[in-house]
Amino acid sequence: MIDVMILLFERIGLLLLVAFMLTQIPGFRSLLDRDMAWDTVFYHAIVFGVMGILGTHTGVIMDHETFMIESWLLNVGDHQVLIGFGMVVVMIAGLLGGPYVGLGSGLIVGIYMAFIGGGAWMANSLMNPLAGLITGWTGQFFSDERVIAPNKALFIGMFPPVLYMGMILIFIPNQQTGIEIVNQIGIPLVITNAIALAIITMMIRSALKESEREAAIETNRALSIAEKALPILKDASLAKNAEALAELLYDELDVAAIAIADQKDVVSFVGQGEDHHQVGESIKMRLSQVALETGELQVAYDKSELQCPYESCPLQTAIMVPVYRSREVIGLINLYYRHSQQIRAVEVELARGLGTIISNQLSGFEAERMKELLKEAEMRNLQAQIHPHFLFNTFNLIHSLMRVNHEQARRILIRFSQYMRANLNIASKSLIPLRDEIEHVNAYLDIVTARFQDQLEVKKEIDQDVLDVLIPSATLQPLVENSIQHGLKKIQSKGIVKINVVRIQDSVSIEVKDNGIGFPEELLLSIGKQPFTDRHGNGTALYNVNERLKGILGEDVQLKCRNLDGGGSSVSFLIPIQYDTNEGLERSSI
């Protein structure tokens, strides 16, 4: 029995080697991911079926108690029994690809063995598809792993050979011959098939683990480089920081040299070949031009493709990685190597990943800069919204007061200068203390009430304990101005504006009310969400304030506009408070 087992291991060894080589072909990973379409199932069933046919020809022939060993089995007599190894391949197909791949490959092997014939052709034909189904179903039932554990594969691999021995006893014409075959080959076949299945799963798991470990190392390296590149890329453009970035990449990557270029010239070069690869020279390599034009990574596997005129240049190969900013190619990062063997698939993917990460960082920083410019433009727009009539009316007021009340004219002039200074400083800070914003409102109200002494009354309810809360600048004053300019524009009675600043739990409520005409009902839901045309009044001020609140404090902080039951309107918003336990102060959550 030991001799038979050794013989079977010898015959099955080559088959295991071929099966392992099969796992390295492209597309095999879809088997392990259990994510296959029917065409993929069909393809793998054929591949494993052909391998199973080859395994059949590497088996042994039993003639009663005699083993016939040939290098390639072709003819099987009616009184002989073919013990092939196609079933091992079918079991591997079922274990890796599932029951459908196992069944498909088993049918191919079973039909082929029916044509070969022999005394046990019926058992061989039926057992192969059954073996594929059994290993496929039991493999999925016993394990959710990507590749089943070898000990489980060893256990599963015992069932099909045992069932095969039973079929031989059932279908072989000579019952005595069947018993002799089972006694001779039964236990060795069960052991060799089970061990073969465990070995192949162990080999696949080991190869995958090594591949995934290498991928994890390269991913970690790419992320580490990206983290270190953040401060380099954040402050300025790629060209200005090219030298620092090239030094970083040269230190972190196993390369002979690093070159960084913009769309025309080399802006930095670090590593071997610095004596003749000069900063400032124009891009000459054809593949570099292709990378810039197409935005696709290029690989030069031969020195001639580098187009370097120096014969003694140590640089032999290179990977050219395009760098994007806002979907536009702005430059290249060239990774140079001394030998073409150094450029493996993992190096190409690492270079591609670095290019993507660096491009995303540059695009992100560009978006942040654009956002800051938009905020500044918004502030400039707010500054420009000082109504010309307000300026002229204020100047006329000061001019008139100069003749009748010098002291009041002086006071209004001071308040006007404070008001203008606050407007000019709007763009300098996003957040200011609430007391500064209220001072801005007071300066504006002093000017307006001086003009309309008998027509306007302002009532204030301000909680003095919340004056240190930070709020976005130019938020309260535009609301007050909007109430006076538009809310009270057409009323005949005395206009009243109420400013309420009170604390509500962990927030500060800021509300401006008036007894004016109120908002048009058809526009009430849209106020603050979009600017209105002139015929609806100056809705731009409310829109700008609302956008500013959302942009700085978040979407939860928005204007709430409503009409009051007794006439007039109300515009309000809430500023969240954050506690500072170290200093005992309260600030806004930003």
Side-chain angles (χ1 to χ4, degrees), residues 377-388 391 423-424 426:
E378 178 190 346
M379 289 295 94
R380 300 298 181 189
N381 182 47
L382 288 174
Q383 292 177 8
Q385 286 180 10
I386 301 175
H387 203 286
L391 294 178
N423 275 282
L424 293 174
I426 283 175

Side-chain angles (χ1 to χ4, degrees), residues 500-515:
N500 296 326
V501 179
V502 296
R503 176 170 179 167
I504 301 178
Q505 296 180 348
D506 292 336
S507 300
V508 176
S509 172
I510 299 176
E511 182 181 24
V512 177
K513 298 190 290 187
D514 61 63
N515 63 338

